[in-house]
Amino acid sequence: VFKDLDLTGIKQIALGAQAPTREGFVGGIIEIRFGSPTGAVAGQADVKSVQLQEGSPEAQLAAVGRGRPQAAIAVPIPPTTGRRDVYLVFRNDSAKGSQPLVSLATVTFRNQ
């Protein structure tokens, strides 16, 4: 949760996320909700699991200092004014037990 954010002028939320199968992530949906974890969905991103090929630039980046490459997924949100609590809800109805869904590195609120 991001508490009491002024979303006036914010048009999208960019999520730096990935789901590398090599590390056990299975992927899933990240829902952006306002007000509560059960509030209406304002936007969502589908983060699919990916296999990093040995020796690929992505795998090499992942190995350096455990930094993880990720794509910024731009999620448009409806025009909103005023202060809101913003919840990120992670879902995958097919995941079993404690399987990790998504690795989230960054969240950026954009006015473009």
Side-chain angles (χ1 to χ4, degrees):
V1 63
F2 294 90
K3 295 291 236 175
D4 198 33
L5 293 182
D6 185 357
L7 297 177
T8 304
I10 299 299
K11 296 180 180 168
Q12 64 179 233
I13 299 174
L15 305 172
Q18 69 169 351
T21 57
R22 180 179 183 169
E23 295 181 20
F25 291 91
V26 296
I29 303 289
I30 302 174
E31 297 173 337
I32 297 169
R33 296 175 178 258
F34 295 152
S36 78
T38 58
V41 176
Q44 66 181 27
D46 186 359
V47 182
K48 300 199 182 303
S49 57
V50 294
Q51 180 70 40
L52 297 178
Q53 298 298 319
E54 193 67 41
S56 72
E58 294 84 5
Q60 290 171 2
L61 280 173
V64 175
R66 297 299 302 155
R68 292 185 168 96
Q70 70 276 333
I73 303 166
V75 181
I77 61 170
T80 306
T81 58
R83 304 187 83 77
R84 303 279 181 98
D85 293 343
V86 178
Y87 288 81
L88 301 180
V89 177
F90 297 75
R91 290 188 321 100
N92 181 331
D93 296 336
S94 301
K96 296 180 177 117
S98 62
Q99 283 182 304
L101 302 183
V102 173
S103 172
L104 180 67
T106 62
V107 177
T108 306
F109 295 84
R110 296 180 177 167
N111 61 1
Q112 353 175 348

PDB file of all heavy atoms in Angstrom, residues 10-14 32 34 41-45 73-79 110 112:
ATOM      1  N   ILE A  10      -1.840  12.281 -12.354  1.00  0.00           N
ATOM      2  CA  ILE A  10      -1.161  11.016 -12.633  1.00  0.00           C
ATOM      3  C   ILE A  10      -1.976  10.244 -13.666  1.00  0.00           C
ATOM      4  O   ILE A  10      -3.168  10.032 -13.493  1.00  0.00           O
ATOM      5  CB  ILE A  10      -0.960  10.180 -11.350  1.00  0.00           C
ATOM      6  CG1 ILE A  10      -0.089  10.934 -10.348  1.00  0.00           C
ATOM      7  CG2 ILE A  10      -0.360   8.810 -11.677  1.00  0.00           C
ATOM      8  CD1 ILE A  10       1.307  11.267 -10.838  1.00  0.00           C
ATOM      9  N   LYS A  11      -1.305   9.827 -14.750  1.00  0.00           N
ATOM     10  CA  LYS A  11      -1.999   9.130 -15.838  1.00  0.00           C
ATOM     11  C   LYS A  11      -1.653   7.652 -15.927  1.00  0.00           C
ATOM     12  O   LYS A  11      -2.378   6.878 -16.526  1.00  0.00           O
ATOM     13  CB  LYS A  11      -1.676   9.808 -17.165  1.00  0.00           C
ATOM     14  CG  LYS A  11      -2.196  11.226 -17.214  1.00  0.00           C
ATOM     15  CD  LYS A  11      -1.887  11.883 -18.517  1.00  0.00           C
ATOM     16  CE  LYS A  11      -2.446  13.299 -18.476  1.00  0.00           C
ATOM     17  NZ  LYS A  11      -1.980  14.101 -19.558  1.00  0.00           N
ATOM     18  N   GLN A  12      -0.510   7.289 -15.355  1.00  0.00           N
ATOM     19  CA  GLN A  12      -0.131   5.876 -15.379  1.00  0.00           C
ATOM     20  C   GLN A  12       0.811   5.557 -14.240  1.00  0.00           C
ATOM     21  O   GLN A  12       1.458   6.435 -13.673  1.00  0.00           O
ATOM     22  CB  GLN A  12       0.489   5.479 -16.717  1.00  0.00           C
ATOM     23  CG  GLN A  12       1.781   6.163 -17.046  1.00  0.00           C
ATOM     24  CD  GLN A  12       2.359   5.714 -18.365  1.00  0.00           C
ATOM     25  OE1 GLN A  12       3.513   5.325 -18.398  1.00  0.00           O
ATOM     26  NE2 GLN A  12       1.595   5.768 -19.441  1.00  0.00           N
ATOM     27  N   ILE A  13       0.833   4.280 -13.918  1.00  0.00           N
ATOM     28  CA  ILE A  13       1.758   3.768 -12.913  1.00  0.00           C
ATOM     29  C   ILE A  13       2.625   2.733 -13.611  1.00  0.00           C
ATOM     30  O   ILE A  13       2.116   1.779 -14.209  1.00  0.00           O
ATOM     31  CB  ILE A  13       0.999   3.155 -11.716  1.00  0.00           C
ATOM     32  CG1 ILE A  13       0.132   4.230 -11.045  1.00  0.00           C
ATOM     33  CG2 ILE A  13       1.975   2.533 -10.722  1.00  0.00           C
ATOM     34  CD1 ILE A  13      -0.771   3.717  -9.949  1.00  0.00           C
ATOM     35  N   ALA A  14       3.933   2.966 -13.592  1.00  0.00           N
ATOM     36  CA  ALA A  14       4.878   2.052 -14.244  1.00  0.00           C
ATOM     37  C   ALA A  14       5.427   1.087 -13.199  1.00  0.00           C
ATOM     38  O   ALA A  14       5.914   1.508 -12.140  1.00  0.00           O
ATOM     39  CB  ALA A  14       6.008   2.827 -14.910  1.00  0.00           C
ATOM     40  N   ILE A  32      -4.025  -2.734  -9.575  1.00  0.00           N
ATOM     41  CA  ILE A  32      -3.913  -1.446  -8.896  1.00  0.00           C
ATOM     42  C   ILE A  32      -5.315  -1.090  -8.410  1.00  0.00           C
ATOM     43  O   ILE A  32      -6.254  -1.031  -9.209  1.00  0.00           O
ATOM     44  CB  ILE A  32      -3.368  -0.369  -9.844  1.00  0.00           C
ATOM     45  CG1 ILE A  32      -1.954  -0.748 -10.287  1.00  0.00           C
ATOM     46  CG2 ILE A  32      -3.392   1.006  -9.166  1.00  0.00           C
ATOM     47  CD1 ILE A  32      -1.415   0.102 -11.410  1.00  0.00           C
ATOM     48  N   PHE A  34      -7.689   1.408  -5.614  1.00  0.00           N
ATOM     49  CA  PHE A  34      -7.725   2.610  -4.792  1.00  0.00           C
ATOM     50  C   PHE A  34      -8.598   2.357  -3.568  1.00  0.00           C
ATOM     51  O   PHE A  34      -9.644   1.721  -3.662  1.00  0.00           O
ATOM     52  CB  PHE A  34      -8.300   3.791  -5.560  1.00  0.00           C
ATOM     53  CG  PHE A  34      -7.470   4.233  -6.740  1.00  0.00           C
ATOM     54  CD1 PHE A  34      -8.076   4.849  -7.817  1.00  0.00           C
ATOM     55  CD2 PHE A  34      -6.102   4.052  -6.785  1.00  0.00           C
ATOM     56  CE1 PHE A  34      -7.337   5.274  -8.908  1.00  0.00           C
ATOM     57  CE2 PHE A  34      -5.354   4.467  -7.870  1.00  0.00           C
ATOM     58  CZ  PHE A  34      -5.977   5.084  -8.937  1.00  0.00           C
ATOM     59  N   VAL A  41     -10.836  -2.189  -9.294  1.00  0.00           N
ATOM     60  CA  VAL A  41      -9.562  -2.270 -10.014  1.00  0.00           C
ATOM     61  C   VAL A  41      -9.429  -1.042 -10.914  1.00  0.00           C
ATOM     62  O   VAL A  41     -10.262  -0.821 -11.796  1.00  0.00           O
ATOM     63  CB  VAL A  41      -9.471  -3.567 -10.843  1.00  0.00           C
ATOM     64  CG1 VAL A  41      -8.185  -3.597 -11.655  1.00  0.00           C
ATOM     65  CG2 VAL A  41      -9.558  -4.793  -9.944  1.00  0.00           C
ATOM     66  N   ALA A  42      -8.380  -0.246 -10.695  1.00  0.00           N
ATOM     67  CA  ALA A  42      -8.125   0.952 -11.502  1.00  0.00           C
ATOM     68  C   ALA A  42      -7.237   0.640 -12.696  1.00  0.00           C
ATOM     69  O   ALA A  42      -7.182   1.397 -13.660  1.00  0.00           O
ATOM     70  CB  ALA A  42      -7.482   2.032 -10.639  1.00  0.00           C
ATOM     71  N   GLY A  43      -6.522  -0.470 -12.646  1.00  0.00           N
ATOM     72  CA  GLY A  43      -5.642  -0.902 -13.727  1.00  0.00           C
ATOM     73  C   GLY A  43      -4.993  -2.206 -13.332  1.00  0.00           C
ATOM     74  O   GLY A  43      -5.020  -2.600 -12.164  1.00  0.00           O
ATOM     75  N   GLN A  44      -4.421  -2.891 -14.322  1.00  0.00           N
ATOM     76  CA  GLN A  44      -3.731  -4.143 -13.989  1.00  0.00           C
ATOM     77  C   GLN A  44      -2.667  -4.452 -15.022  1.00  0.00           C
ATOM     78  O   GLN A  44      -2.707  -3.972 -16.148  1.00  0.00           O
ATOM     79  CB  GLN A  44      -4.706  -5.302 -13.860  1.00  0.00           C
ATOM     80  CG  GLN A  44      -5.406  -5.719 -15.127  1.00  0.00           C
ATOM     81  CD  GLN A  44      -6.372  -6.866 -14.865  1.00  0.00           C
ATOM     82  OE1 GLN A  44      -6.893  -7.039 -13.770  1.00  0.00           O
ATOM     83  NE2 GLN A  44      -6.617  -7.658 -15.884  1.00  0.00           N
ATOM     84  N   ALA A  45      -1.707  -5.273 -14.606  1.00  0.00           N
ATOM     85  CA  ALA A  45      -0.614  -5.719 -15.466  1.00  0.00           C
ATOM     86  C   ALA A  45      -0.479  -7.226 -15.339  1.00  0.00           C
ATOM     87  O   ALA A  45      -0.577  -7.775 -14.248  1.00  0.00           O
ATOM     88  CB  ALA A  45       0.693  -5.046 -15.051  1.00  0.00           C
ATOM     89  N   ILE A  73       6.379  -1.862 -16.953  1.00  0.00           N
ATOM     90  CA  ILE A  73       5.051  -2.107 -17.503  1.00  0.00           C
ATOM     91  C   ILE A  73       4.200  -0.886 -17.168  1.00  0.00           C
ATOM     92  O   ILE A  73       3.910  -0.620 -16.005  1.00  0.00           O
ATOM     93  CB  ILE A  73       4.429  -3.374 -16.896  1.00  0.00           C
ATOM     94  CG1 ILE A  73       5.343  -4.573 -17.131  1.00  0.00           C
ATOM     95  CG2 ILE A  73       3.036  -3.610 -17.463  1.00  0.00           C
ATOM     96  CD1 ILE A  73       4.986  -5.790 -16.297  1.00  0.00           C
ATOM     97  N   ALA A  74       3.821  -0.125 -18.205  1.00  0.00           N
ATOM     98  CA  ALA A  74       3.021   1.086 -17.997  1.00  0.00           C
ATOM     99  C   ALA A  74       1.551   0.708 -17.895  1.00  0.00           C
ATOM    100  O   ALA A  74       0.989   0.115 -18.804  1.00  0.00           O
ATOM    101  CB  ALA A  74       3.249   2.060 -19.140  1.00  0.00           C
ATOM    102  N   VAL A  75       0.949   1.038 -16.760  1.00  0.00           N
ATOM    103  CA  VAL A  75      -0.457   0.723 -16.525  1.00  0.00           C
ATOM    104  C   VAL A  75      -1.241   2.039 -16.459  1.00  0.00           C
ATOM    105  O   VAL A  75      -1.082   2.815 -15.516  1.00  0.00           O
ATOM    106  CB  VAL A  75      -0.642  -0.056 -15.204  1.00  0.00           C
ATOM    107  CG1 VAL A  75      -2.098  -0.397 -14.980  1.00  0.00           C
ATOM    108  CG2 VAL A  75       0.232  -1.300 -15.178  1.00  0.00           C
ATOM    109  N   PRO A  76      -2.076   2.308 -17.477  1.00  0.00           N
ATOM    110  CA  PRO A  76      -2.891   3.525 -17.423  1.00  0.00           C
ATOM    111  C   PRO A  76      -3.913   3.434 -16.293  1.00  0.00           C
ATOM    112  O   PRO A  76      -4.434   2.358 -16.007  1.00  0.00           O
ATOM    113  CB  PRO A  76      -3.610   3.548 -18.772  1.00  0.00           C
ATOM    114  CG  PRO A  76      -3.042   2.444 -19.586  1.00  0.00           C
ATOM    115  CD  PRO A  76      -2.298   1.526 -18.670  1.00  0.00           C
ATOM    116  N   ILE A  77      -4.152   4.572 -15.657  1.00  0.00           N
ATOM    117  CA  ILE A  77      -5.184   4.624 -14.622  1.00  0.00           C
ATOM    118  C   ILE A  77      -6.187   5.717 -15.006  1.00  0.00           C
ATOM    119  O   ILE A  77      -5.848   6.643 -15.743  1.00  0.00           O
ATOM    120  CB  ILE A  77      -4.598   4.868 -13.215  1.00  0.00           C
ATOM    121  CG1 ILE A  77      -3.856   6.199 -13.144  1.00  0.00           C
ATOM    122  CG2 ILE A  77      -3.696   3.716 -12.801  1.00  0.00           C
ATOM    123  CD1 ILE A  77      -3.473   6.610 -11.736  1.00  0.00           C
ATOM    124  N   PRO A  78      -7.410   5.607 -14.514  1.00  0.00           N
ATOM    125  CA  PRO A  78      -8.405   6.634 -14.849  1.00  0.00           C
ATOM    126  C   PRO A  78      -8.027   7.979 -14.231  1.00  0.00           C
ATOM    127  O   PRO A  78      -7.325   8.014 -13.216  1.00  0.00           O
ATOM    128  CB  PRO A  78      -9.700   6.090 -14.248  1.00  0.00           C
ATOM    129  CG  PRO A  78      -9.298   5.048 -13.277  1.00  0.00           C
ATOM    130  CD  PRO A  78      -7.949   4.559 -13.664  1.00  0.00           C
ATOM    131  N   PRO A  79      -8.490   9.084 -14.839  1.00  0.00           N
ATOM    132  CA  PRO A  79      -8.219  10.405 -14.248  1.00  0.00           C
ATOM    133  C   PRO A  79      -8.690  10.444 -12.797  1.00  0.00           C
ATOM    134  O   PRO A  79      -9.811  10.046 -12.483  1.00  0.00           O
ATOM    135  CB  PRO A  79      -9.038  11.362 -15.113  1.00  0.00           C
ATOM    136  CG  PRO A  79      -9.257  10.634 -16.396  1.00  0.00           C
ATOM    137  CD  PRO A  79      -9.306   9.174 -16.042  1.00  0.00           C
ATOM    138  N   ARG A 110       3.514   8.345 -13.003  1.00  0.00           N
ATOM    139  CA  ARG A 110       3.830   9.215 -14.131  1.00  0.00           C
ATOM    140  C   ARG A 110       2.651  10.105 -14.509  1.00  0.00           C
ATOM    141  O   ARG A 110       1.515   9.658 -14.492  1.00  0.00           O
ATOM    142  CB  ARG A 110       4.215   8.373 -15.359  1.00  0.00           C
ATOM    143  CG  ARG A 110       5.462   7.561 -15.160  1.00  0.00           C
ATOM    144  CD  ARG A 110       5.753   6.782 -16.410  1.00  0.00           C
ATOM    145  NE  ARG A 110       6.997   6.020 -16.297  1.00  0.00           N
ATOM    146  CZ  ARG A 110       7.350   5.077 -17.132  1.00  0.00           C
ATOM    147  NH1 ARG A 110       6.566   4.750 -18.155  1.00  0.00           N
ATOM    148  NH2 ARG A 110       8.478   4.439 -16.970  1.00  0.00           N
ATOM    149  N   GLN A 112       2.475  11.399 -17.610  1.00  0.00           N
ATOM    150  CA  GLN A 112       2.452  11.390 -19.072  1.00  0.00           C
ATOM    151  C   GLN A 112       1.810  10.154 -19.601  1.00  0.00           C
ATOM    152  O   GLN A 112       1.779   9.150 -19.050  1.00  0.00           O
ATOM    153  CB  GLN A 112       3.829  11.481 -19.687  1.00  0.00           C
ATOM    154  CG  GLN A 112       4.943  11.714 -18.743  1.00  0.00           C
ATOM    155  CD  GLN A 112       6.291  11.674 -19.429  1.00  0.00           C
ATOM    156  OE1 GLN A 112       6.441  11.270 -20.563  1.00  0.00           O
ATOM    157  NE2 GLN A 112       7.283  12.088 -18.736  1.00  0.00           N
TER     158      GLN A 112
END
